[in-house]
Amino acid sequence: MSQSVIAANNLVKHFAKRQSLVDRLRNKEVFNVPAIDGVNLELKKGETLGLVGESGCGKSTLGRTLVGLYTASQGSIELSGKEVGEARTLEERRTVQMVFQDPFSSLNPRMTVGEVLREALLFHSLATKENVDEKSKELLTLVGLPHDALKSYPRQFSGGQRQRIGIARALALQPKILIADEVVSALDVSVQASVVNLLMDLKRDLGLTMLFISHNIAVVRQVSDRIAVMYLGRIVEVGPTEQVFNNPSHPYTKLLLSSVPKMASGSQISSAPAGELQSIKSALVGCRFRSRCPVAVDACASIDPSLTLVEGTHQAACLLVK
Amino acid sequence: MSTPLISVQDLNVEIKTNRGLLKAIRGVSFDINGGDSIGIVGESGSGKSITLKAILGLLPNNAHVSSGKIFVAGTDISTLDKKARRALLSETAGMIFQDAIAALNPVITVGDQIAEVPRFRLGQSKSESRQTALKLMEQVGISDAESRFGLYPHQLSGGLRQRIAIAIALSGSPKILFCDEPTTALDVTIQAQVLRLLLELRKNSGLGIVFVTHDLAVVNEICDSIKVMYAGRFVEAGNVHTTFSTPTHPYTYSLLKAAPDPDEAVHRLFSISGEAPNLTAPVVGCPFAPRCFAADDHCLTAEPALLSIATSASACFKSSGHDTWAASDSKSGVK
C-alpha cells in the first residue's frame, strides 16, 4: 500500500463575518461562516483526487488551506506523515503547489514569463544565476511552450497558453503535490482538452499527486482516480471514480450527477423540484442537505451523519446508506 | 410558407478595437420561426453573442452592422425609426443574459422591475401590473412570489436572479426568448432547473428559444436545431441529433470529440491544436484550415460557403468525406 503524501485531519476553516456597528453595540453573537467544517482527506502518492461540489461548498477553500494560503482554524495538515506547523518551512511550501482558475489575474502583468520562472527558481535555490535560463527553458518545453516565450509578457498569450505558464510556474519548484483549482473552467472546450491532457501527462511523467478541483463533472470523470463530493464544507461522498459514478450513494451526489447535461440522443434533463439553500445557519443542525433532499426522514433533522462505508473504499455521509 | 418571425440576411458586424477593425460577424443568414429552438454554439470570440445583440439592437458603441438586413415580422428594421423598431422588437423577442446580477437594476425591487413593462408599455395600472408580475413570477417557478416581490436582486440566489431575468424578458409577452449563456454562471443543479423551466415554457406557451452557449450538452438537452459558429460564420447547421451523430464539418466533429462525456471516461481527451484566428486580419482560405485534420492546400486559399447537404448544411470542401474522419483525425490529436 502506498503512503499518503498529504492528509487533512478534521480540517476546519471559518471566515469571520464582518459585523456592523449596530450588531457590535448590541453585543450580537458573531457567526463564523464555516467554509470547510471537519474535512478528513488523504491523498496517496501518484493518485488524482477529483473534488466536486457547487460554488460556495468550500472546495477552493480546502485547496487553498492545503497549499497554505489560508491558515486552518482547527485541525491539522500532514505532509508525508509529518504535521506542518502554522508557519511552513520553505521545503514544505515547495512541496505543495497550486495552479489557479483565472489565467488572467494569477500572473503578474508586469513580469515576463522568464522573470516569473526565475523568481521561483532562484528564491528556492533550485537554480543558480548561471543555469536559471536553461532551467526555465526546460520548464517551457515541459508545458509545450516555445523558448522565446521567456521574454514575453502574460498579455501576449491566449488563455490556454497562460494556463500553461501557470503550470510551469508551479512545476518550477518540483512539487510532489499539485493542486489544480478549476484550471480549465475559463477555457474553451477546444483548448480545455489540451490543458487537461498536459496535466495528466505531467502527473504521470513526474509522479505527481494531484487534487483536481472542478465543478465540471465530465472533466473530473476523465482525470480522477478517486472522487470526493463536497457539500457545505463537508465531504459527503468519496470513493473510486467509477464506483461513485455508477453507484452514487449520497442523495446530493445523485442530484449532481443527474443534473449534468448529457450528450446522448434523446436525453431529458432532470431536476430536483425544490432546491437552493436558503440559510447556512439553519442548515448546520442535523444533515446539511436535508432541506433539499428528496428522501430525508425525521432523523435527518437531528443527526449529523458521518462518512460510512458503502463498499470497499467508497464512503458516503447519509443516514440512509447501509 | 409564412414569413419567419425574424429573418437575418447576410449580416456583417464590425467592431472598432485598439488593434484595428475586427470583423466579428462575416455574413450570417438564418430564419427564426415561432416555436423554434435553435442552439448557437462556438468558442469565445466566434461571434455568437454579437449575433443576438445585433438583432436586438444592443450592440456596444464601438460595434455596428456594416451590411446585411434584419427583418422582423417581414419588416426591414433599418427602415424603422428608433421608437417603432423598439416597439416591434419588444413584442417579438426578449433576452436573458449570462450575468443576471448585471442585467438587473440593483436599486429597484425585483417585483417592480418585472412590473415595469406591463405598467409603462402595456399601460396597466399599478395594481394590475403587480398582479401581472406576480403571475410571471409564478410562471417562472418562483415560490412564495408575494414575499419575494419586494426584495432586491442582491438578496436572491443566482438561480432565482436568473428566473427574475426570465420573468422580465417574458413580461412583454415575446414570441422568442434570446438566451445568451444564461446558465454558464450557475451551478449544475441550478442550471438543470433553469433548463427545465425553459423547456416547460416552450411546451406550455410555444415560446421560441434561441440559445447561445459553448456547451454542446446543453444544446443537446434543450434545442432541436443547432448552428455551429466559427470565426464569425456559421460553419454547420442542422438538426441537433443528426449533427451530433454525423457532423459534416471538421470543427463540429472535433468539438464533439473534445467535449468530455460525463457518461464515459476515455482518459485521454481529443484536442484541437492551435487557436481561433484573429479577426482583425483579413481571413484567407477556410478560417479553420490551420487547425483542421482534413485540410489540404485548397482549403488554405479559398473560403467555403455554407452549402446544404441533405438535411443539414456545412461550410467545408471536405464534408463529403465525413464518414472517413474517424480514421484520419489522429494526426491532430497531439497534446
Side-chain angles (χ1 to χ4, degrees):
Chain A
M1 181 139 158
S2 49
Q3 64 194 115
S4 86
V5 284
I6 187 165
N9 298 318
N10 204 17
L11 204 63
V12 176
K13 173 69 192 173
H14 285 208
F15 287 107
K17 210 170 174 182
R18 247 269 209 44
Q19 264 191 313
S20 72
L21 182 66
V22 178
D23 285 345
R24 246 182 296 168
L25 291 175
R26 281 184 183 158
N27 245 340
K28 209 176 160 191
E29 200 185 329
V30 185
F31 175 66
N32 289 325
V33 183
I36 50 176
D37 199 11
V39 163
N40 289 298
L41 196 67
E42 197 182 55
L43 267 80
K44 301 245 183 325
K45 189 170 168 25
E47 80 168 343
T48 302
L49 178 72
L51 187 60
V52 297
E54 56 200 358
S55 359
C57 73
K59 44 189 201 309
S60 283
T61 305
L62 179 56
R64 282 163 174 257
T65 310
L66 288 176
V67 86
L69 286 173
Y70 293 149
T71 27
S73 310
Q74 282 168 45
S76 64
I77 296 167
E78 284 174 17
L79 289 175
S80 303
K82 223 177 103 222
E83 194 172 315
V84 295
E86 198 142 298
R88 297 190 182 199
T89 64
L90 213 55
E91 175 70 20
E92 283 165 347
R93 278 193 266 162
R94 198 174 65 72
T95 313
V96 195
Q97 286 300 314
M98 189 157 184
V99 185
F100 296 90
Q101 166 169 9
D102 187 352
F104 297 87
S105 65
S106 60
L107 293 167
N108 187 337
R110 286 167 190 268
M111 281 169 86
T112 63
V113 174
E115 284 165 356
V116 168
L117 296 177
R118 192 175 308 136
E119 186 180 49
L121 288 167
L122 293 179
F123 182 80
H124 284 268
S125 317
L126 294 167
T128 58
K129 278 195 173 135
E130 286 74 44
N131 69 4
V132 69
D133 276 345
E134 197 185 317
K135 289 247 177 185
S136 305
K137 283 177 185 165
E138 279 170 27
L139 283 165
L140 290 179
T141 313
L142 203 62
V143 298
L145 287 174
H147 288 174
D148 53 16
L150 280 183
K151 292 193 182 66
S152 309
Y153 287 91
R155 62 163 186 274
Q156 294 167 281
F157 296 93
S158 68
Q161 288 171 323
R162 278 182 226 207
Q163 212 50 301
R164 286 171 192 262
I165 298 168
I167 294 170
R169 178 177 59 182
L171 292 179
L173 303 187
Q174 302 162 15
K176 290 192 190 118
I177 301 142
L178 196 63
I179 293 176
D181 186 5
E182 302 270 14
V183 281
V184 294
S185 308
L187 305 178
D188 276 310
V189 186
S190 68
V191 185
Q192 169 182 298
S194 64
V195 173
V196 169
N197 285 342
L198 170 70
L199 273 178
M200 298 323 289
D201 289 346
L202 290 171
K203 189 211 123 190
R204 193 191 54 226
D205 298 345
L206 307 175
L208 294 172
T209 306
M210 189 153 75
L211 180 67
F212 192 92
I213 303 172
S214 179
H215 67 272
N216 188 333
I217 289 153
V219 173
V220 167
R221 174 155 210 183
Q222 307 302 322
V223 304
S224 311
D225 304 311
R226 281 197 308 145
I227 184 168
V229 182
M230 249 182 124
Y231 187 75
L232 266 192
R234 290 270 175 90
I235 288 178
V236 294
E237 183 157 1
V238 59
T241 306
E242 287 309 301
Q243 272 184 41
V244 174
F245 271 90
N246 296 333
N247 180 25
S249 300
H250 194 281
Y252 177 63
T253 316
K254 288 179 188 166
L255 171 68
L256 206 58
L257 294 183
S258 70
S259 301
V260 180
K262 306 282 184 339
M263 295 295 287
S265 160
S267 166
Q268 267 285 319
I269 197 149
S270 60
S271 70
E276 256 171 87
L277 189 74
Q278 298 308 333
S279 138
I280 301 180
K281 227 170 171 174
S282 67
L284 294 184
V285 187
C287 172
R288 293 169 183 217
F289 185 59
R290 69 174 194 284
S291 62
R292 297 171 67 182
C293 183
V295 294
V297 294
D298 290 348
C300 299
S302 50
I303 305 170
D304 187 2
S306 52
L307 284 169
T308 48
L309 225 52
V310 179
E311 189 194 346
T313 54
H314 182 185
Q315 294 174 302
C318 175
L319 290 179
L320 302 173
V321 169
K322 306 217 170 49
Chain B
M1 198 168 151
S2 61
T3 345
L5 274 177
I6 294 178
S7 179
V8 178
Q9 289 172 13
D10 198 26
L11 183 72
N12 283 272
V13 172
E14 291 175 350
I15 303 177
K16 284 195 199 96
T17 70
N18 294 337
R19 277 171 287 164
L21 205 59
L22 189 146
K23 295 193 170 54
I25 304 179
R26 305 179 302 121
V28 156
S29 304
F30 69 118
D31 290 347
I32 309 167
N33 291 300
D36 273 358
S37 68
I38 302 171
I40 302 179
V41 295
E43 46 199 307
S44 333
S46 60
K48 46 197 199 309
S49 293
I50 292 287
T51 306
L52 293 196
K53 287 181 179 162
I55 297 173
L56 290 184
L58 297 175
L59 287 176
N61 287 336
N62 58 349
H64 69 284
V65 175
S66 54
S67 71
K69 285 195 163 32
I70 298 162
F71 294 90
V72 176
T75 314
D76 180 353
I77 58 168
S78 65
T79 63
L80 300 174
D81 65 26
K82 205 173 169 186
K83 210 173 158 189
R85 182 165 63 212
R86 200 164 154 184
L88 181 61
L89 280 169
S90 76
E91 66 187 48
T92 312
M95 184 157 180
I96 53 174
F97 301 86
Q98 171 170 354
D99 188 359
I101 192 79
L104 297 174
N105 188 330
V107 294
I108 300 178
T109 64
V110 293
D112 283 342
Q113 292 188 56
I114 303 172
E116 197 176 301
V117 169
R119 177 115 198 261
F120 297 104
R121 195 163 300 154
L122 311 179
Q124 296 179 352
S125 73
K126 194 164 183 194
S127 62
E128 277 170 356
S129 65
R130 185 187 159 91
Q131 287 311 314
T132 314
L134 288 173
K135 232 177 270 164
L136 282 163
M137 287 169 83
E138 273 162 34
Q139 197 189 347
V140 297
I142 297 176
S143 57
D144 206 5
E146 284 278 352
S147 70
R148 280 171 171 151
F149 189 92
L151 295 182
Y152 291 89
H154 74 268
Q155 295 171 298
L156 300 173
S157 64
L160 276 176
R161 277 178 208 150
Q162 201 53 278
R163 283 171 196 265
I164 297 288
I166 296 174
I168 293 172
L170 295 178
S171 62
S173 336
K175 300 178 185 78
I176 300 168
L177 187 62
F178 283 10
C179 311
D180 186 6
E181 307 236 15
T183 59
T184 309
L186 302 177
D187 281 311
V188 44
T189 50
I190 312 303
Q191 163 172 287
Q193 292 172 12
V194 172
L195 294 180
R196 255 247 69 100
L197 169 67
L198 292 174
L199 280 174
E200 272 158 23
L201 287 171
R202 185 167 171 238
K203 204 172 94 190
N204 300 339
S205 53
L207 183 72
I209 288 173
V210 180
F211 200 101
V212 160
T213 179
H214 62 270
D215 191 337
L216 293 161
V218 169
V219 171
N220 182 45
E221 296 281 0
I222 76 159
C223 296
D224 294 337
S225 67
I226 183 172
K227 298 190 187 299
V228 182
M229 212 165 179
Y230 189 78
R233 283 205 172 173
F234 289 151
V235 294
E236 177 153 10
N239 171 284
V240 170
H241 298 306
T242 336
T243 307
F244 278 21
S245 57
T246 47
T248 52
H249 193 284
Y251 179 59
T252 320
Y253 175 87
S254 308
L255 268 189
L256 286 166
K257 270 197 96 169
D261 189 345
D263 286 335
E264 198 190 347
V266 294
H267 294 296
R268 182 137 198 108
L269 295 170
F270 178 83
S271 71
I272 309 175
S273 55
E275 266 146 37
N278 172 6
L279 292 176
T280 51
V283 175
V284 180
C286 170
F288 188 62
R291 307 172 72 183
C292 181
F293 54 84
D296 61 15
D297 291 348
H298 181 48
C299 301
L300 294 170
T301 54
E303 183 166 13
L306 187 69
L307 295 176
S308 296
I309 23 166
T311 53
S312 57
S314 167
C316 177
F317 295 126
K318 302 280 172 190
S319 58
S320 56
H322 66 83
D323 42 354
T324 62
W325 287 348
S328 64
D329 67 24
S330 52
K331 71 173 177 182
S332 79
V334 284
K335 251 198 195 148

